Amino acid sequence: MAEIIDGRKVAAAINERTAAEAARLAALGVSPGLAVVLVGDDPASQTYVTMKERDAAALGIASFDHRLPADTEQGQLEALVDSLNADPAVHGILVQLPLPRHLDAEPVIDRISPGKDADGFGVSSLGRLVRGLPGLRSCTPAGVMELLRAYDVPIEGARAVVVGRSTMVGKPMALLLLEADATVMVCHSRTRDLADVCREADILVSAVGRPRMVRREWVKPGAVVVDVGTTRLDGKLVGDVAFEEVAEVASKITPVPGGVGPMTRAMLMANTVAAARKAVR
Ligand code: GUN
């Protein structure tokens, strides 16, 4: 039976460090601040945004809440980003995605100053990751790396398989694993013999959002399985991994909920404080 990777516990430890660093910076006159921008009234996004603001408050990070109507125009949103870029009280900026359909997310994301890109989604942050330069890393993949390290999972030389090639998770996940010297394969909807490829993995990360897709037969005995997928099914949050059966063969596994989710939020706060640290003179 696999050891269960407790994301809540690891996130709490990271949050403790983040809160201590936030207090230290505040004493130096730089009180870390995170601006959260939500356009429209998608209920899931509202929940996420509210949770982020609650996390910030608990850690001594100021949050600046910008809830804009669904019919906000591109120019208005970009003007808000410009003003947040210029605001010295704001160290991290997050524009909740997805945006309403009439808005183009990419120019908005790329307008965020690289030093304030708390999500790590901008071309500069992603380019720095590709180059191996320091910068703000995407929160979910960074959180997965922290989980692997907290549970002493050997990464160097390991075969890592990432299922999903999104810009938010799959691609940066693959790059972070590569940076840690794993041998990485990225799979997606066109991958042939997906189960066979997954069975090669020492570390299997699934981030596609297809409930219980990863079955016991997909997993090499002793592999570490990280489930990034979350789908709401009959009011319950379910992952990409058929947890009970996969836990019988994996050596370590993340649950949903309580695995990667809390880490994403913790890394967002850590990024905000890291961005604020740069503002101390
Ligand atoms: N929508 C779903 N996940 C995320 C995230 O991590 N950041 C932002 N900005 N939007 C999201």
Side-chain angles (χ1 to χ4, degrees), residues 33-238:
L34 173 67
V36 178
V37 179
L38 173 61
V39 185
D41 40 34
D42 175 61
S45 290
Q46 281 176 334
T47 305
Y48 290 139
V49 163
T50 302
M51 288 199 304
K52 287 164 189 171
E53 287 165 352
R54 207 175 290 160
D55 289 343
L59 302 183
I61 296 170
S63 63
F64 304 94
D65 183 7
H66 295 271
R67 302 201 184 208
L68 307 180
D71 63 357
T72 298
E73 287 169 16
Q74 186 84 21
Q76 292 173 303
L77 182 55
E78 292 182 6
L80 172 60
V81 170
D82 289 347
S83 75
L84 296 172
N85 283 337
D87 185 343
V90 171
H91 303 100
I93 302 172
L94 176 145
V95 177
Q96 183 66 29
L97 302 174
L99 291 172
R101 286 237 306 273
H102 68 283
L103 293 171
D104 188 357
E106 284 188 356
V108 176
I109 298 304
D110 289 333
R111 214 169 171 96
I112 296 170
S113 293
K116 297 191 178 189
D117 183 15
D119 261 328
F121 290 164
V123 281
S124 173
S125 301
L126 289 169
R128 295 182 73 83
L129 172 59
V130 172
R131 281 249 187 105
L133 297 171
L136 295 166
R137 304 299 196 221
S138 309
C139 303
T140 298
V144 172
M145 296 306 290
E146 292 287 340
L147 285 180
L148 296 176
R149 293 198 182 100
Y151 279 80
D152 296 321
V153 175
I155 303 173
E156 185 186 325
R159 283 178 193 243
V161 172
V162 178
V163 189
R165 56 175 156 181
S166 70
T167 306
M168 276 199 224
V169 183
K171 286 183 207 171
M173 185 77 254
L175 288 163
L176 285 174
L177 286 162
L178 187 61
E179 193 173 52
D181 298 319
T183 300
V184 185
M185 177 115 66
V186 184
C187 300
H188 45 81
S189 54
R190 307 290 166 85
T191 297
R192 253 183 283 133
D193 305 321
L194 179 59
D196 292 338
V197 179
C198 289
R199 211 176 306 115
E200 291 264 311
D202 301 308
I203 301 168
L204 177 60
V205 181
S206 185
V208 294
R210 279 181 49 194
R212 303 192 186 101
M213 173 189 73
V214 177
R215 308 302 303 261
R216 179 196 177 105
E217 309 76 54
W218 293 33
V219 177
K220 179 168 74 177
V224 175
V225 178
V226 178
D227 191 352
V228 182
T230 51
T231 308
R232 203 162 279 283
L233 212 61
D234 305 324
K236 251 183 68 184
L237 213 56
V238 287

